Amino acid sequence: MKEVLKAITKNPEETKKFARVLAEEIVKTKPGKGAVVIGLEGELGAGKTTFAKGFARGLGIKEEMKSPTFILMRVFRKKNRNFFHIDAYRDQLDFREFLKSNKNILLVEWSNKVKKFLPKNYFLFKLRHAGSDRREIKLYA
Ligand code: ADP
Ligand code: MG
């Protein structure tokens, strides 16, 4: 995968907005063959769950998004789309079944732990600390 974009956010709101805009673009795009998959890599506190919150907002999901580290997966339904928020930190849930439908959007925190289940094409975001409230976000595709 190649690095295609790099951004620095200065606070959590900027990270949320970044992810929200991404989600809005994805919903506008014509559905492909299978699910859309977003992988998030980055150490604890890098902003993966913050990103997930913004992303869900971009899909029009109003429910509160918690870190699912203790909940393997949460599913939200919105306008004929299913949004799967998965956290692979502790348990490597086999989510391949959900990759089949192009109505599905999967966002996987700690996607580096479940590489064996990821499809060939997906969006990989690597987040890292770049200061106390600064985060670097790199997109690979
Ligand atoms: P992760 O899921 O990667 O462990 P979280 O999103 O749960 O990370 O936590 C990130 C923490 O860092 C939150 O407390 C958030 O408020 C804080 N933070 C500070 N600056 C940023 C930023 N630019 N982007 C995202 N989170 C930030
Ligand atoms: Mg998290």
Side-chain angles (χ1 to χ4, degrees):
M1 289 215 262
K2 274 195 308 205
E3 185 188 317
V4 292
L5 190 143
K6 182 171 136 180
I8 297 274
T9 63
K10 292 197 269 318
N11 52 57
E13 290 314 312
E14 283 191 12
T15 296
K16 282 183 198 163
K17 185 175 179 203
F18 179 95
R20 178 168 57 73
V21 171
L22 169 75
E24 287 166 356
E25 288 308 314
I26 287 174
V27 230
K28 278 189 237 162
T29 312
K30 202 167 124 264
K33 262 188 118 199
V36 173
V37 179
I38 315 290
L40 300 183
E41 291 185 11
E43 68 276 12
L44 213 65
K48 300 181 295 300
T49 301
T50 302
F51 185 109
K53 286 179 184 168
F55 190 85
R57 188 50 54 92
L59 297 180
I61 293 161
K62 299 275 156 60
E63 283 100 324
E64 203 209 329
M65 304 282 299
K66 298 196 182 85
S67 173
T69 296
F70 301 98
I71 309 171
L72 297 182
M73 179 179 88
R74 289 185 77 194
V75 188
F76 303 84
R77 289 200 169 72
K78 189 80 193 177
K79 291 184 207 150
N80 206 28
R81 294 274 206 157
N82 308 307
F83 174 54
F84 296 75
H85 184 198
I86 298 164
D87 191 311
Y89 183 65
R90 283 163 181 274
D91 295 277
Q92 284 75 55
L93 175 87
D94 185 350
F95 52 75
R96 283 175 293 186
E97 188 62 30
F98 311 128
L99 298 176
K100 293 177 185 166
S101 168
N102 63 8
K103 292 188 168 57
N104 294 346
I105 299 172
L106 279 72
L107 182 147
V108 186
E109 295 192 37
W110 300 100
S111 57
N112 48 307
K113 295 186 181 258
V114 282
K115 281 187 181 146
K116 59 188 176 203
F117 300 142
L118 292 168
K120 213 160 86 208
N121 295 314
Y122 71 104
F123 298 99
L124 170 62
F125 289 90
K126 291 191 184 180
L127 290 85
R128 59 184 200 91
H129 290 79
S132 60
D133 283 346
R134 292 165 75 90
R135 298 292 186 272
E136 181 193 80
I137 304 174
K138 281 182 176 175
L139 167 62
Y140 297 80

